[in-house]
Amino acid sequence: MLKKTLMIAALGVATTSAFAVDVEQIEKSIPLKDGSTVYIFKDGKMGMEDKMGRAVRMKQGEVMETKDGQKIMMHGDEVMRLDSILRHDSRS
């Protein structure tokens, strides 16, 4: 029984550590005019969260407008990477 408890605790720490690494990879977030948010990871790839808080797929090269009127282009589509971060954040 003690072995099972220790194994579960170890897996919990590993999962938490993996999440912390992903969150630390977010360089910045940019609010968009339509209420969604684009997250830029340190490797230059991006993920988009819609105004309902869900990670959504974007086409490579799609142009988006920020709240302050600037235009930015989508690079990469890290929907699964962002989804895991948003899901973990909603459980906390």
Side-chain angles (χ1 to χ4, degrees), residues 20-83:
V21 170
D22 274 347
V23 171
E24 290 175 4
Q25 291 300 313
I26 295 176
E27 187 171 307
K28 64 180 170 179
S29 60
I30 302 171
L32 300 178
K33 195 172 193 174
D34 66 357
S36 56
T37 304
V38 170
Y39 293 89
I40 302 175
F41 293 92
K42 290 182 180 177
D43 62 5
K45 295 181 180 178
M46 303 169 142
M48 184 169 167
E49 175 185 9
D50 68 8
K51 59 185 170 186
M52 302 298 279
R54 301 172 295 209
V56 293
R57 188 159 302 283
M58 290 288 292
K59 292 180 184 173
Q60 179 79 5
E62 188 166 336
V63 178
M64 301 162 283
E65 188 173 355
T66 64
K67 275 192 173 182
D68 62 2
Q70 294 179 358
K71 305 279 185 187
I72 57 173
M73 188 180 301
M74 187 69 169
H75 293 285
D77 184 19
E78 296 296 305
V79 68
M80 294 306 294
R81 188 176 180 186
L82 182 60
D83 185 58

